[in-house]
Amino acid sequence: QVQLKETGPDLVQLTQTLSITCTVSGFSLTTYNVHWVRQPPGKGLEWMGAMWNGGGTDYNSAFKSRLSISRDTSKSQVFLKMNSLQTDDTAKYFCARSAVQPHYFDYWGQGVMVTVSS
Amino acid sequence: DIQMTQSPASLSASLGETVTIECLASEDIYDILAWYQQKPGKSPQLLIYDASSLHTGVPSRFSGSGSGTQYSLKINSLQPEDFASYYCQNGLSAPLTFGSGTKLEIK
């Protein structure tokens, strides 16, 4: 069955870099897109960016200068890296799947809660 | 970027009531709109796609409608498990923006 699972740190120091891995199963990264979505505590959902099935990426301009998304298709993994973390980056980070078009998120990981500490 | 304006931000209703949540896109999104339900501590779950199509396993008391820039989610005969937060989402083109959410609470 389709599954996505995020793994990453609980705590990141201010100004440091966040790295999270999304490991997927039950589908191919060359057939579906994988997105990153985050949610600060008590707030709404924010789309961060996508790894398209063809290997290209797209980013929310709010993060563009410090966010990088990559993948390893042989390991069925998608990676998020974001540098220069601030306290308002404290959030739950989700990876989610969409078909090639349109971009609806039909499966989600359980998310990883990341706290940025000073 | 397409902005999604969702209302109301919160809603209080009783079991068995019918409620409607609205979502306004800043430009025509050609019905490429999804609705999600999220319960506390859980991941969002897809409810409706293409503005009005029910995702697999979603009860028929949920329905979506709208076109162009205006969309709505209607929940008939509220059940205890429906009290949650709801989000609309532009699925047309990146950036894939969400509405700000509606928290549905029991009156």
Side-chain angles (χ1 to χ4, degrees):
Chain A
Q1 72 276 29
V2 173
Q3 290 187 319
L4 300 92
K5 184 172 183 178
E6 306 88 348
T7 49
D10 298 330
L11 192 65
V12 177
Q13 296 302 310
L14 198 65
T15 75
Q16 296 303 299
T17 296
L18 172 64
S19 295
I20 305 175
T21 298
C22 176
T23 303
V24 310
S25 58
F27 69 96
S28 170
L29 294 180
T30 60
T31 307
Y32 288 86
N33 306 319
V34 171
H35 304 257
W36 290 97
V37 176
R38 77 175 186 178
Q39 185 172 39
K43 296 192 176 179
L45 301 166
E46 182 175 34
W47 180 80
M48 299 180 71
M51 170 57 71
W52 303 121
N53 67 305
T57 54
D58 226 325
Y59 300 104
N60 184 330
S61 59
F63 304 101
K64 195 160 190 173
S65 62
R66 60 193 186 106
L67 176 64
S68 172
I69 298 173
S70 59
R71 72 180 183 182
D72 182 337
T73 55
S74 68
K75 294 183 178 178
S76 294
Q77 292 180 325
V78 179
F79 309 103
L80 176 150
K81 274 189 169 49
M82 189 162 69
N83 58 33
S84 304
L85 255 62
Q86 301 300 310
T87 54
D88 60 1
D89 291 314
T90 292
K92 196 166 197 178
Y93 289 78
F94 298 95
C95 57
R97 182 187 90 157
S98 79
V100 173
Q101 274 281 3
H103 306 305
Y104 303 130
F105 308 123
D106 59 352
Y107 285 90
W108 296 67
Q110 85 277 11
V112 58
M113 181 66 208
V114 177
T115 301
V116 180
S117 171
S118 55
Chain B
D1 296 0
I2 298 172
Q3 308 303 318
M4 306 299 291
T5 303
Q6 188 175 337
S7 62
S10 63
L11 190 49
S12 184
S14 302
L15 290 174
E17 270 192 53
T18 295
V19 297
T20 301
I21 298 167
E22 310 279 356
C23 191
L24 178 67
S26 59
E27 59 187 80
D28 193 333
I29 57 171
Y30 306 100
D31 301 356
I32 309 300
L33 178 109
W35 290 97
Y36 300 86
Q37 178 192 66
Q38 187 181 29
K39 296 181 179 178
K42 301 293 188 184
S43 307
Q45 300 293 308
L46 179 63
L47 291 176
I48 286 172
Y49 63 95
D50 290 347
S52 60
S53 298
L54 233 53
H55 187 54
T56 308
V58 174
S60 58
R61 63 180 179 275
F62 290 89
S63 63
S65 63
S67 62
T69 62
Q70 295 188 290
Y71 300 89
S72 60
L73 170 71
K74 186 176 176 183
I75 314 172
N76 287 315
S77 187
L78 281 168
Q79 300 299 301
E81 60 269 28
D82 300 337
F83 293 91
S85 293
Y86 293 85
Y87 296 90
C88 60
Q89 179 238 330
N90 144 46
L92 180 62
S93 60
L96 302 172
T97 41
F98 290 92
S100 53
T102 296
K103 187 172 183 179
L104 177 56
E105 297 174 309
I106 297 179
K107 188 184 287 184

